[in-house]
Amino acid sequence: MSSVEEFRAEIRGWLKTHLSGSFAALKGRGGPGREHEAFAERLAWERHMAAHGWTCVGWPEEYGGRGATIEEQIAFHEEYALADAPARVNHIGEQLLGPTLIDHGTEEQKARFLPPVRAVEELWCQGYSEPGAGSDLAAVRTRAVREDDAWVVTGQKIWTSLAHEAQWCFVLARTDPGSRRHAGLSCLLVPLDRPGVEIRPIVQLTGTSEFNEVFFDGARTDAANVVGAPGDGWRIAMATLGYERGVSTLGQQVGFRRELDALVALARRNGAAADPDIRDRLTRAWAGLEALRAGALRGTDPSAAKLYWSHWHRDLGELALEVCGPAATLAAAAPYELDDWQRLFLFSRADTVYAGSSEIQRNIIAERVLGLPKEPRP
């Protein structure tokens, strides 16, 4: 048995043993559009994972991880999804902040911030998008001014996932007042429990609130809490976005497979599969998911991968309502209770917008991957 197979067997056995008892009820809970589900219980589960060494498996051992290879990380995420384990609450800290600090942080920052992430004692959110600066991240207007031993942050962030549950936020802010676009930005680590920070949940189409507006009005963070050099924020931000589209997406694809398999089963039960058009679209969905997995294993460009999976998942949501039929247009119960297929349809509308809109991804692919002329800009 290879080391990867042994690693896969180890995590599979651990999940079978530990995702039981009080934790068994968490199977399938949480995830996009459903982050409100059993949050406290999922947090307890993830701390249980940490106590047994199953968080941050890809981090180097010196920082509390297992030093897992890429192949082992893929195995971990796939087995976690196959076990129908609950959605992770610490994804942003573990998958985004942690690798950023490991590669670009100071030794003091690593010592202060990495252990609480690995132990799931401090949760993080990502302060990038703003009104008028979402996919166009270089248009950030949130500013930070150095005052003695602190940075003072003023501005607004939006679509900030799980900010209402987080204790910290890594914020992209303009620290050079005369700078424009990519220059003069810095990545700051900002506590959310201090004066000058206000968090307002945003009600989504699903009726839930996992995104937030975050307002900074003179919020302070220590001067040492800048990742990289002041003014180097664009490079740090791009590195973080690269981690965001890493191996954890393989687990996401296992979730997609479960959704597709369930939809095929529903189409067979309710007779929708008798429609040749429905059969064709289900087959195309299967083929698309196979292509998505092959591309991920091969190392598809992150922008191309994001463009492809987001449209695939949005199309699956539309197909789900076609399979469900006219009744899918009605809420499952008053006042606004949705079933899983309705929630999939509504939330997947955002897939092509968050983490970089499809329009922006197409520009990146055209200009940076294919080397085509840049889009004219005023």
Side-chain angles (χ1 to χ4, degrees), residues 343-366:
R343 189 177 292 108
L344 168 64
F345 169 76
L346 291 173
F347 195 87
S348 64
R349 311 307 295 175
D351 286 348
T352 58
V353 179
Y354 66 73
S357 71
S358 294
E359 291 76 11
I360 294 296
Q361 301 306 327
R362 290 189 179 101
N363 276 358
I364 292 173
I365 294 167

Side-chain angles (χ1 to χ4, degrees), residues 315-333:
D315 292 346
L316 185 73
E318 294 176 353
L319 177 56
L321 291 202
E322 293 283 348
V323 169
C324 291
T329 61
L330 301 176

Side-chain angles (χ1 to χ4, degrees), residues 71-350:
E71 292 78 10
E72 289 171 338
Q73 292 176 58
I74 290 172
F76 171 84
H77 291 293
E78 288 185 337
E79 290 300 325
Y80 191 88
L82 287 168
D84 203 21
R88 305 287 296 276
V89 302
N90 194 30
H91 168 79
I92 295 173
E94 178 176 326
Q95 300 292 337
L96 304 187
L97 175 83
T100 300
L101 290 184
I102 289 171
D103 288 345
H104 304 284
T106 65
E107 291 306 314
E108 292 77 14
Q109 289 170 346
K110 295 173 188 177
R112 163 61 184 86
F113 293 111
L114 293 182
V117 171
R118 196 204 66 79
V120 202
E121 294 172 352
E122 290 179 343
L123 302 181
W124 286 78
C125 60
Q126 182 181 39
Y128 280 11
S129 295
E130 300 180 2
S135 295
D136 185 15
L137 192 57
V140 160
R141 290 183 293 179
T142 293
R143 65 187 187 275
V145 178
R146 178 72 181 269
E147 291 185 2
D148 299 324
D149 60 349
W151 291 98
V152 181
V153 184
T154 302
Q156 178 186 358
K157 298 295 179 178
I158 197 167
W159 312 124
T160 311
S161 299
L162 299 179
H164 59 297
E165 302 287 359
Q167 289 79 48
W168 286 84
C169 182
F170 50 97
V171 176
L172 193 63
R174 194 164 296 281
T175 51
D176 182 348
S179 64
R180 295 188 61 194
R181 302 298 296 168
H182 308 85
L185 299 172
S186 297
C187 180
L188 304 176
L189 311 179
V190 181
L192 298 179
D193 60 352
R194 295 186 184 176
V197 179
E198 180 182 0
I199 299 170
R200 301 179 189 172
I202 299 171
V203 179
Q204 302 154 192
L205 282 173
T206 54
T208 58
S209 299
E210 61 197 57
F211 298 133
N212 302 266
E213 294 178 285
V214 182
F215 297 87
F216 299 100
D217 184 11
R220 302 176 73 88
T221 189
D222 293 347
N225 289 344
V226 56
V227 184
D232 198 26
W234 183 258
R235 182 177 68 90
I236 303 299
M238 292 302 99
T240 303
L241 290 176
Y243 306 132
E244 184 176 22
R245 297 163 188 165
V247 295
S248 63
T249 60
L250 272 297
Q252 176 193 55
Q253 291 172 30
V254 176
F256 289 171
R257 173 73 66 187
R258 278 208 305 272
E259 289 176 340
L260 177 58
D261 289 346
L263 187 59
V264 170
L266 174 62
R268 288 171 173 163
R269 288 197 307 272
N270 70 5
D275 184 330
D277 179 63
I278 294 292
R279 287 202 307 274
D280 179 70
R281 291 169 66 185
L282 288 169
T283 302
R284 289 176 181 273
W286 176 87
L289 190 54
E290 289 295 307
L292 184 60
R293 175 174 171 77
L297 292 173
R298 187 179 60 189
T300 298
D301 174 81
S303 290
K306 200 280 175 176
L307 181 67
Y308 191 87
W309 76 251
S310 61
H311 283 262
W312 182 92
H313 199 224
R314 186 194 65 183
D315 292 346
L316 185 73
E318 294 176 353
L319 177 56
L321 291 202
E322 293 283 348
V323 169
C324 291
T329 61
L330 301 176
Y336 190 62
E337 182 179 329
L338 305 175
D339 64 27
D340 289 343
W341 300 118
Q342 292 168 326
R343 189 177 292 108
L344 168 64
F345 169 76
L346 291 173
F347 195 87
S348 64
R349 311 307 295 175

